[in-house]
Amino acid sequence: MTVVSDYLHVGSGEYSVEVLKPISDVDKLVDQALKGDIPNEVNNFFSQEMYLMNHYEGKTVIPGSTIKGMVRTRLELAIPGSCYIVDSRGSNYSPRYKSIFKPEHKKSDRFDPEDYPNVCPVCNLLGNSGLASRVNFSDFVSSDKTDVIKISNVGYEVAKKGARFSGKVVYNSLSKEELGMLFYGFGIRVQNGRVLSKVQLLGRFKYEDKRFGRVTFSIGAVNSSDVISSIQAFQTKYRPRDFKEDW
Ligand SMILES: [Zn+2]
């Protein structure tokens, strides 16, 4: 995965605060605070909070579950008649989200049990609460240096333009159309007989700030004629919708 916007922030849910100057009498400060008398100058001891990304052994990490969620959202919105698990409970209801993905179109799609009497194609591939996933996503890891930028005076750790993350997607006995479905969820397309990587949105501020959240994916381990034929097989069978995410 390559970051093609200026920044990418996928939060770890943690933030750090730095101590800016030594505190000479901690006991006194704590005492005061416990009595409800928090001195004004206490803020001067600490930096603004900074929202971090995940790290492991010095590398920056995007959880596999985040990548899987991205793929699943795209497939649920793209495939007519599939169920609609991710975004129906999500909070992605910004006007930008609506204009890109047109989820109201999705809601009006009649679920046709004739099409999928047992399980919809997305659940069949990626699992649901009662069904194991047939695809596993590793974490995506980068050794490129991150930076910190401020948005409304709050720091965010970001991967920068050109940063590359790599990860593995492990699957088990997929049909050709299902393999194509997986590629499609990563934004891989075929145009004039060639493989193309579409921009996908990921992480914080993707709908609010053009400098954030644009990534593309490329495939390492499958040869391009197999990629092309599987995507074509998927499109022929499922007639997916497409989205232009690069707003
Ligand atoms: Zn489903």
Side-chain angles (χ1 to χ4, degrees):
M1 183 189 89
T2 305
V3 178
V4 297
S5 50
D6 290 344
Y7 311 119
L8 172 73
H9 174 81
V10 175
S12 65
E14 289 179 14
Y15 63 89
S16 78
V17 173
E18 276 177 74
V19 178
L20 298 176
K21 53 183 181 181
I23 302 171
S24 51
D25 195 343
V26 175
D27 287 347
K28 189 177 148 215
L29 268 178
V30 171
D31 266 357
Q32 279 178 287
L34 288 175
K35 286 176 193 149
D37 171 26
I38 299 172
N40 264 337
E41 69 271 21
V42 84
N43 280 335
N44 300 335
F45 287 99
F46 303 105
S47 67
Q48 281 284 344
E49 71 264 37
M50 175 170 92
Y51 288 89
L52 302 173
M53 296 181 68
N54 286 290
H55 293 278
Y56 182 71
E57 291 184 345
K59 294 182 175 172
T60 313
V61 175
I62 294 172
S65 57
T66 300
I67 302 293
K68 184 177 182 180
M70 181 207 70
V71 168
R72 179 166 206 134
T73 311
R74 298 328 183 261
L75 293 177
E76 289 187 347
L77 287 160
I79 299 175
S82 66
C83 40
Y84 189 44
I85 292 171
V86 173
D87 275 303
S88 59
R89 65 169 184 229
S91 53
N92 287 333
Y93 286 103
S94 77
R96 184 88 57 202
Y97 167 83
K98 287 181 184 163
S99 74
I100 292 172
F101 294 109
K102 301 184 174 54
E104 60 280 2
H105 173 283
K106 176 72 189 176
K107 275 177 201 148
S108 69
D109 277 348
R110 194 170 58 90
F111 179 82
D112 189 349
E114 296 271 298
D115 284 352
Y116 308 119
N118 299 313
V119 60
C120 90
V122 183
C123 291
N124 193 28
L125 185 72
L126 299 178
N128 62 28
S129 55
L131 184 69
S133 179
R134 290 155 64 217
V135 185
N136 283 295
F137 297 74
S138 77
D139 292 341
F140 277 51
V141 175
S142 173
S143 328
D144 294 315
K145 264 180 76 106
T146 60
D147 207 346
V148 175
I149 66 152
K150 291 214 161 181
I151 301 281
S152 310
N153 218 30
V154 176
Y156 291 87
E157 183 184 18
V158 292
K160 292 184 287 185
K161 188 180 230 165
R164 290 174 69 94
F165 289 77
S166 54
K168 282 189 179 158
V169 179
V170 179
Y171 50 82
N172 207 323
S173 38
L174 300 190
S175 67
K176 194 165 204 173
E177 300 85 55
E178 288 171 324
L179 187 58
M181 189 188 302
L182 189 55
F183 292 143
Y184 197 88
F186 276 104
I188 309 294
R189 299 289 184 272
V190 178
Q191 205 172 61
N192 303 325
R194 303 187 59 160
V195 177
L196 224 150
S197 298
K198 204 171 76 84
V199 168
Q200 308 248 105
L201 296 173
L202 185 70
R204 275 302 279 279
F205 306 119
K206 56 185 177 284
Y207 302 127
E208 294 91 355
D209 188 332
K210 277 179 186 251
R211 297 173 301 163
F212 276 84
R214 289 143 197 252
V215 299
T216 58
F217 290 87
S218 61
I219 307 157
V222 185
N223 75 51
S224 66
S225 64
D226 287 346
V227 173
I228 291 169
S229 64
S230 60
I231 291 175
Q232 286 170 338
F234 164 67
Q235 288 185 294
T236 303
K237 181 160 182 188
Y238 293 101
R239 303 266 159 225
R241 301 165 61 214
D242 205 354
F243 321 105
K244 188 187 176 305
E245 302 188 29
D246 192 10
W247 60 275

